[in-house]
C-alpha cells in the first residue's frame, strides 16, 4: 500500500479527560453516555456477542474510524465475557480491521482512554502495543496487534477510509462479517460518507454481513440499500433516540440475479385476501410495522377453512440431516412459538399447551430412523431427542410400547381461536380493518385512470387495492394470476373424539401415521381429542364423511394397537368431523414474495436451460404490487409467522429474517427458474 503521511489530530480535552476534535468540531465520545452508546450501536447492533459464540469461521469486523479505539475495546470486552460464559467452548477467532485518517498519538490515546475507567483493563492491553505515532513520522501505513493469545487480532490502516478499504482484497464470498460504520457525523465529516465508501463496503461484505451506525440520515440509508443492505431503524435509549442497522442480503453484483427480490417503497396500505392463520400472521406483521391493512375474508367469520380445526399440533418437520426443508421448519417453529407467546403475553389468550410432541417409532423403519437421529445428533436436544418406551410413557402419561423422537418444546393450540386472537392483537394497533363475506371472483390490473394498482371483482362490487397480498387457501388457487403458480389441493379430514378415563390424562401430542392430541381445555371444544388426518389428493369436497372417520380410527388401531385397544373408541365416540382443503406446493415449502412475471423470466434467463450456473445479475422480473403468501399445507401453524416476517421485510425494505439461500427456497419464482433449467418452459 502506498505510504500515507501520518498526521495526528489537534485535540482538546474536557475537564473529565474526554477528547474533542478541533478539526471536526465534535467529541470523539461523550464520557457520560459514549460507552453505553457505542456498546448498543456497534456491539449490540451487530449482535457481536452471539456471533462470537456461533460463528464457525473467523469473524472479521471492520470499522470506519478507529478514533480512540473505543469500539475495539468494547469488542475485546465482549470476547472476554463470551469466554467466561462459555468456558468449554472453542470460540471463533476475531480479525478486527479499522481505518483512521488522523490517528491519535500514544499520549493523546492514553489521556483519552483515562476518561473511560470501566474499560481500563482493555485500554492497557491496547496501549501496550500501540505505536508511538507523531507528526514527524511520515511512513507509518498500518500496524497490527494481537490479544488473548492470538484469539483477537487488530489491523489499523492509517489512511482515508475509502482508500484504505479499497486496498483490502476480498474473496469470492467477501471478507467482512460485521461493520462498525463509525466516524464523525456526516454533517461534520461529509467527505468520509461518500458513495465510493459504501461501494467498498458492499464489495467487501460477506453474505449476511451486518452493519450498524449511529446516524439515520436518509442518504446514508440509500447508500446502504444501493450496495445491497436491507436496513431498519432501531430505538435507542440515549439522546439519539434512533440508530440504524442492516444486513447484506441483496448484493446487486450477484451472479444469481433471479434470487434478488424487488425493492418497493413502503406502502401506507395493503389489502389481504384470506381469513386463516396465514392472513392473521401477515396482518399482525404488517400492522406492527405501521402499515394499514384491510383483510377480505370470503366467509362470515374468520378461520373457517384449514384453520378451523378444534386442535392443531405445532412442531417442526425435521429430517436426519440439516437439509433445506428442516432448517426452514426449525427456524419457523421457534419463530411461531415466539409470536404466539407474545400474543398471549399481550393478553390475547387462546387454548394451548406446549406439552411436547412424540413421534412414535411404531414400525421397524422408524426404529432405525430414531437410531440414526441419535447417532447423527444433528439437532439440539431441546428441539428433538430419542427416548425409549418407558420415557415415552412418562411423557405421554399413558402406557406406550414404543419409544420415539420427542420434541419437548412442541405442543398444540386451538387454531380457530388462535387466529381470532392474532387478529385481535393486530387490531390493537388501530391499523386493521376486517371485511367478511367478500368473495373475490377476479383480480386484475387497474386501468391507467386510477391510482390503485389492482382491482378486485367481488360479490360486493369493485374494490381497489394499492398493494395486494393473496393469502387464501386451496379455494383460491384457480384465480387468475394465482393459477400460474404450481399450487395443488389435498383434502384432509380430522375427527374429534369424546374423551374417556383411559385417555383423558394424555399429556403430549402423539404422531404416528396420523396424530392424536391431548384433551383440549377450550370451552366450546372441551373434553375432546383430535385424530387424523386423511390425505386425499383426488377430492375437492369439504363435506366430512363417515368413511374418513373410519379411516382415522383404523389408522390409530394399525399404528398403536395397544393404546387403541385400551381407549376402545367406537364410531359413536366421534363428536364432530371436519374436512378441509390444504393448499400444497410441489416441494412442501410455502411461497412468500412477489408474483413472478413468468414470460419475462423466460426472456431474461434463457441460458439457464443450457447451463444452470450461467451468471446473471438481472433482478427477477415481477408483477408490480402483487404478492403471495400461500402453500402451507398442513403446517401453517408452524410456518406462517416466519413467512409473515419475510412478507413484511419485502414491503418495508427491512432485513430478511432468513439467509439468502433459504429466501430463494421460499420465493414464488423458484419454480419458474427450476422449469427453465429443466427445459419445461
Amino acid at each position: 500500500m502506498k505510504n500515507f503521511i501520518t498526521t495526528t489530530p489537534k485535540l482538546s480535552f474536557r475537564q473529565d479527560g474526554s477528547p474533542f476534535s478541533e478539526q471536526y468540531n465534535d467529541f470523539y465520545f461523550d464520557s457520560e453516555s459514549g460507552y453505553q452508546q457505542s456498546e448498543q450501536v456497534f456491539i449490540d447492533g451487530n449482535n457481536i456477542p452471539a456471533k462470537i459464540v456461533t460463528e464457525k469461521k473467523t469473524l472479521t469486523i471492520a470499522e470506519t474510524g478507529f478514533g480512540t479505539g473505543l469500539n475495539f475495546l468494547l469488542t475485546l470486552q465482549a470476547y472476554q465475557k463470551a469466554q467466561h460464559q462459555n468456558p468449554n467452548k472453542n470460540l471463533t477467532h476475531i480479525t478486527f480491521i479499522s481505518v483512521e485518517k488522523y490517528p491519535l498519538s500514544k499520549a493523546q490515546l492514553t489521556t483519552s482512554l483515562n476518561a473511560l475507567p470501566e474499560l481500563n483493563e482493555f485500554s492497557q492491553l491496547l496501549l501496550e502495543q500501540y505505536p508511538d505515532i507523531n507528526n514527524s513520522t511520515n511512513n507509518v501505513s498500518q500496524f497490527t496487534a494481537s490479544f488473548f493469545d492470538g484469539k483477537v487480532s487488530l489491523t489499523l490502516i492509517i489512511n482515508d477510509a475509502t482508500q484504505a478499504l479499497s486496498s483490502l482484497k476480498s474473496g469470492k464470498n467477501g471478507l467482512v462479517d460485521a461493520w462498525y460504520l463509525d466516524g464523525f457525523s456526516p454533517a461534520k465529516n461529509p467527505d468520509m460518507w461518500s458513495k465510493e465508501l459504501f461501494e467498498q463496503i458492499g464489495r467487501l461484505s460477506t453474505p449476511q454481513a451486518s452493519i450498524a451506525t449511529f446516524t439515520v440520515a436518509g442518504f446514508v440509508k440509500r447508500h446502504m440499500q444501493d450496495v445491497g443492505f436491507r436496513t431498519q431503524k432501531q430505538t435507542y435509549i440515549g439522546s439519539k433516540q434512533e440508530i440504524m442497522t442492516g444486513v447484506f442480503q441483496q448484493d446487486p453484483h450477484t451472479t444469481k440475479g433471479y434470487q434478488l427480490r424487488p425493492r418497493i417503497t413502503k406502502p401506507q396500505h395493503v389489502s389481504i385476501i384470506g381469513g386463516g392463520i396465514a392472513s392473521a400472521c401477515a396482518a399482525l406483521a404488517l400492522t406492527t410495522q405501521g402499515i394499514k391493512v384491510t383483510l377480505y375474508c370470503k366467509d362470515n367469520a374468520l378461520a373457517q377453512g384449514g384453520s378451523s380445526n378444534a386442535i392443531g399440533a405445532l412442531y417442526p418437520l425435521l429430517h436426519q440431516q440439516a437439509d433445506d426443508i428442516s432448517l426452514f421448519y426449525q427456524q419457523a417453529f421457534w419463530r411461531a412459538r415466539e409470536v404466539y407467546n407474545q400474543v398471549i403475553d399481550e393478553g390475547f389468550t387462546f387454548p394451548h399447551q406446549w406439552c411436547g410432541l412424540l413421534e412414535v417409532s411404531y414400525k421397524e423403519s422408524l426404529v432405525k430412523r430414531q437410531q440414526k437421529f441419535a447417532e447423527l445428533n444433528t439437532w439440539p436436544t431441546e428441539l428433538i431427542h430419542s427416548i425409549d418406551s418407558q420415557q415415552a410413557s412418562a411423557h405421554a402419561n399413558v402406557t406406550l410400547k414404543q419409544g420415539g423422537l420427542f420434541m419437548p418444546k412442541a405442543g398444540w393450540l386451538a387454531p380457530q381461536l388462535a387466529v381470532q386472537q392474532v387478529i385481535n392483537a393486530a387490531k390493537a394497533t388501530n391499523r386493521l380493518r376486517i371485511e367478511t363475506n367478500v368473495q373475490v371472483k377476479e383480480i386484475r390490473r387497474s386501468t391507467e385512470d386510477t391510482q390503485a394498482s389492482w382491482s378486485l371483482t367481488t360479490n360486493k362490487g369493485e374494490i381497489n387495492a394499492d398493494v395486494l397480498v393473496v393469502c387464501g387457501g386451496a379455494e383460491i388457487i384457480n384465480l387468475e394470476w394465482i393459477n400460474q403458480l404450481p399450487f395443488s389441493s389435498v383434502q384432509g379430514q380430522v375427527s374429534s373424539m369424546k374423551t374417556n378415563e383411559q385417555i383423558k390424562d394424555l399429556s403430549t401430542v402423539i404422531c404416528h401415521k396420523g396424530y392424536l392430541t391431548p384433551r383440549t381445555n377450550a370451552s366450546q371444544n372441551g373434553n375432546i381429542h383430535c385424530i387424523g388426518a386423511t390425505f386425499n389428493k383426488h377430492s375437492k369436497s369439504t363435506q366430512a364423511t363417515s368413511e374418513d372417520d373410519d379411516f382415522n380410527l383404523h389408522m390409530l388401531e394399525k399404528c398403536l394397537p395397544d393404546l387403541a385397544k385400551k381407549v376402545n373408541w367406537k364410531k359413536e365416540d366421534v363428536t364432530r368431523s371436519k374436512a378441509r382443503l390444504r393448499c400444497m406446493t410441489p416441494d412442501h415449502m410455502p411461497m412468500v414474495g412477489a408474483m413472478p412475471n413468468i414470460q419475462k423470466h423466460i426472456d431474461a434467463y434463457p441460458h439457464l436451460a443450457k447451463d444452470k450456473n450461467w451468471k446473471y445479475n438481472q433482478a427477477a422480473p415481477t408483477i408490480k404490487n402483487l404478492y403471495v403468501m400461500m402453500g402451507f399445507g398442513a403446517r401453517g401453524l408452524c410456518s406462517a409467522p416466519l413467512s409473515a416476517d419475510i412478507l413484511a421485510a419485502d414491503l418495508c425494505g427491512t432485513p430478511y429474517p432468513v439467509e439468502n439461500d433459504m429466501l430463494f427456497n421460499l420465493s414464488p419464482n423458484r419454480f419458474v427458474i427450476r422449469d427453465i433449467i429443466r427445459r419445461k418452459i
Side-chain angles (χ1 to χ4, degrees):
M1 182 175 67
K2 190 175 181 180
N3 289 341
F4 180 80
I5 298 176
T6 306
T7 304
T8 57
K10 184 177 180 180
L11 302 185
S12 60
F13 294 91
R14 293 195 301 181
Q15 189 173 2
D16 62 5
S18 58
F20 182 85
S21 170
E22 299 292 342
Q23 178 178 356
Y24 293 107
N25 192 32
D26 201 359
F27 292 102
Y28 278 82
F29 59 79
D30 183 343
S31 61
E32 295 181 2
S33 64
Y35 176 21
Q36 293 83 2
Q37 174 182 302
S38 294
E39 186 171 38
Q40 182 173 353
V41 175
F42 301 110
I43 306 302
D44 297 342
N46 280 289
N47 203 17
I48 296 300
K51 289 179 179 178
I52 291 172
V53 176
T54 60
E55 185 63 61
K56 292 181 173 58
K57 62 178 182 61
T58 297
L59 175 63
T60 300
I61 301 171
E63 177 186 42
T64 57
F66 187 73
T68 63
L70 173 58
N71 298 331
F72 176 68
L73 300 183
L74 291 171
T75 304
L76 287 179
Q77 183 185 58
Y79 198 90
Q80 186 187 78
K81 286 181 180 179
Q83 286 180 318
H84 291 162
Q85 294 168 359
N86 303 272
N88 300 318
K89 187 174 179 64
N90 186 22
L91 301 178
T92 183
H93 286 62
I94 290 181
T95 296
F96 194 102
I97 303 170
S98 188
V99 300
E100 179 57 59
K101 188 173 183 179
Y102 303 107
L104 274 66
S105 69
K106 192 165 187 175
Q108 290 174 326
L109 184 63
T110 301
T111 303
S112 299
L113 294 180
N114 284 338
L116 297 170
E118 306 95 333
L119 298 175
N120 182 62
E121 174 186 356
F122 309 104
S123 298
Q124 293 307 310
L125 293 176
L126 174 61
L127 289 168
E128 287 172 4
Q129 301 183 67
Y130 195 80
D132 190 11
I133 298 173
N134 57 64
N135 288 326
S136 64
T137 304
N138 296 329
N139 61 351
V140 177
S141 60
Q142 69 178 48
F143 91 91
T144 60
S146 180
F147 304 83
F148 299 154
D149 296 324
K151 289 285 190 178
V152 179
S153 66
L154 167 65
T155 297
L156 175 58
I157 304 174
I158 300 172
N159 205 333
D160 168 80
T162 301
Q163 293 182 39
L165 294 181
S166 66
S167 71
L168 298 175
K169 294 182 179 180
S170 178
K172 178 181 178 182
N173 293 315
L175 172 68
V176 179
D177 305 299
W179 289 94
Y180 298 170
L181 188 52
D182 200 2
F184 294 110
S185 70
K188 302 291 181 71
N189 185 20
D191 291 342
M192 190 198 84
W193 301 81
S194 65
K195 176 183 177 182
E196 291 74 21
L197 172 70
F198 287 93
E199 288 175 347
Q200 291 301 320
I201 290 173
R203 178 182 70 86
L204 294 169
S205 293
T206 61
Q208 302 299 127
S210 61
I211 192 169
T213 179
F214 56 84
T215 180
V216 293
F219 82 94
V220 173
K221 177 181 178 179
R222 289 189 292 274
H223 280 326
M224 290 168 66
Q225 292 176 336
D226 287 343
V227 300
F229 284 90
R230 308 280 295 186
T231 64
Q232 64 182 348
K233 293 180 182 179
Q234 296 186 7
T235 56
Y236 169 62
I237 57 175
S239 58
K240 289 184 179 295
Q241 296 184 328
E242 286 185 322
I243 64 175
M244 187 156 54
T245 60
V247 183
F248 190 66
Q249 294 176 314
Q250 296 283 278
D251 181 4
H253 301 296
T254 179
T255 59
K256 296 181 178 180
Y258 46 82
Q259 295 187 0
L260 293 175
R261 294 191 167 215
R263 284 170 58 178
I264 179 176
T265 301
K266 181 179 178 179
Q268 294 183 334
H269 182 270
V270 168
S271 300
I272 296 177
I273 300 175
I277 189 64
S279 305
C281 290
L284 179 61
L286 294 175
T287 55
T288 301
Q289 290 285 347
I291 296 175
K292 293 181 179 180
V293 172
T294 302
L295 193 153
Y296 299 102
C297 174
K298 68 180 181 64
D299 301 306
N300 60 6
L302 296 170
Q304 299 302 304
S307 299
S308 64
N309 289 325
I311 309 175
L314 176 64
Y315 67 105
L317 172 61
L318 299 175
H319 297 152
Q320 297 165 12
Q321 303 280 5
D323 56 10
D324 290 342
I325 196 166
S326 300
L327 289 171
F328 167 69
Y329 279 106
Q330 176 199 218
Q331 185 175 346
F333 169 72
W334 292 122
R335 179 55 179 158
R337 284 247 331 190
E338 184 179 19
V339 169
Y340 298 140
N341 284 335
Q342 182 177 338
V343 168
I344 293 165
D345 291 343
E346 291 174 358
F348 304 100
T349 59
F350 52 85
H352 73 286
Q353 285 184 345
W354 307 141
C355 56
L357 179 142
L358 174 65
E359 290 187 346
V360 179
S361 300
Y362 63 89
K363 58 183 180 180
E364 184 60 27
S365 61
L366 294 178
V367 172
K368 293 180 179 178
R369 176 175 179 265
Q370 179 183 343
Q371 293 170 345
K372 199 68 175 176
F373 260 86
E375 291 172 9
L376 294 174
N377 196 27
T378 303
W379 309 105
T381 55
E382 68 171 349
L383 184 63
I384 189 170
H385 60 267
S386 175
I387 60 176
D388 59 27
S389 60
Q390 186 176 356
Q391 293 169 317
S393 299
H395 282 301
N397 206 27
V398 296
T399 301
L400 295 171
K401 294 295 182 68
Q402 308 93 348
L405 294 169
F406 187 63
M407 303 182 194
K409 301 296 185 180
W412 65 267
L413 52 81
Q416 194 171 60
L417 297 174
V419 169
Q420 293 169 3
Q421 293 292 56
V422 172
I423 286 291
N424 286 337
K427 282 183 176 179
T429 66
N430 294 317
R431 300 187 187 102
L432 175 62
R433 180 166 60 95
I434 305 291
E435 296 285 347
T436 56
N437 291 313
V438 178
Q439 181 71 51
V440 178
K441 302 176 181 178
E442 181 184 5
I443 61 175
R444 64 182 187 279
R445 291 181 178 180
S446 294
T447 56
E448 294 182 1
D449 58 354
T450 177
Q451 292 183 346
S453 299
W454 296 92
S455 181
L456 314 182
T457 302
T458 77
N459 58 319
K460 293 188 176 181
E462 294 293 310
I463 297 173
N464 291 326
D466 297 323
V467 176
L468 180 62
V469 179
V470 182
C471 287
E475 297 85 356
I476 206 170
I477 62 178
N478 292 320
L479 201 63
E480 189 176 359
W481 296 100
I482 307 303
N483 61 9
Q484 298 178 40
L485 298 174
F487 292 115
S488 61
S489 69
V490 174
Q491 187 221 49
Q493 180 167 315
V494 176
S495 306
S496 296
M497 308 302 300
K498 188 188 306 179
T499 195
N500 59 40
E501 287 297 317
Q502 285 69 43
I503 196 64
K504 68 181 180 66
D505 294 326
L506 176 67
S507 56
T508 194
V509 181
I510 295 178
C511 283
H512 45 90
K513 182 71 172 177
Y515 63 88
L516 164 64
T517 70
R519 178 165 53 100
T520 178
N521 56 4
S523 57
Q524 69 267 49
N525 292 315
N527 292 318
I528 65 163
H529 306 259
C530 284
I531 62 172
T534 61
F535 195 87
N536 192 338
K537 296 180 180 180
H538 306 293
S539 176
K540 307 295 182 186
S541 173
T542 56
Q543 288 293 117
T545 65
S546 177
E547 291 78 12
D548 282 348
D549 286 332
D550 286 335
F551 177 90
N552 288 334
L553 285 167
H554 173 70
M555 191 57 63
L556 181 64
E557 294 168 1
K558 179 181 178 181
C559 298
L560 300 172
D562 296 300
L563 181 61
K565 183 177 181 181
K566 181 179 179 181
V567 177
N568 196 30
W569 272 326
K570 304 296 183 184
K571 195 71 165 287
E572 52 269 25
D573 292 314
V574 178
T575 63
R576 188 182 182 188
S577 304
K578 185 166 289 185
R580 291 294 185 265
L581 299 178
R582 311 179 185 102
C583 182
M584 309 289 290
T585 65
D587 59 6
H588 305 290
M589 299 269 274
M591 293 189 210
V592 54
M595 173 67 67
N597 186 318
I598 296 177
Q599 185 55 53
K600 287 188 177 180
H601 267 71
I602 297 171
D603 296 339
Y605 310 118
H607 287 287
L608 292 177
K610 301 177 181 178
D611 180 359
K612 66 179 182 180
N613 296 314
W614 193 270
K615 296 178 180 180
Y616 285 105
N617 60 19
Q618 179 181 338
T622 58
I623 305 299
K624 186 177 180 180
N625 292 339
L626 178 61
Y627 291 78
V628 296
M629 182 177 147
M630 296 174 57
F632 294 96
R635 298 184 180 276
L637 292 175
C638 180
S639 51
L642 180 59
S643 298
D645 291 343
I646 294 171
L647 175 71
D650 267 335
L651 298 182
C652 299
T654 52
Y656 289 110
V658 300
E659 295 188 355
N660 294 349
D661 288 343
M662 186 182 295
L663 190 64
F664 182 65
N665 289 340
L666 300 169
S667 179
N669 79 323
R670 68 187 188 265
F671 296 104
V672 185
I673 295 299
R674 291 172 191 176
D675 283 348
I676 293 174
I677 291 172
R678 296 167 183 171
R679 303 181 185 180
K680 290 186 176 181
I681 56 175

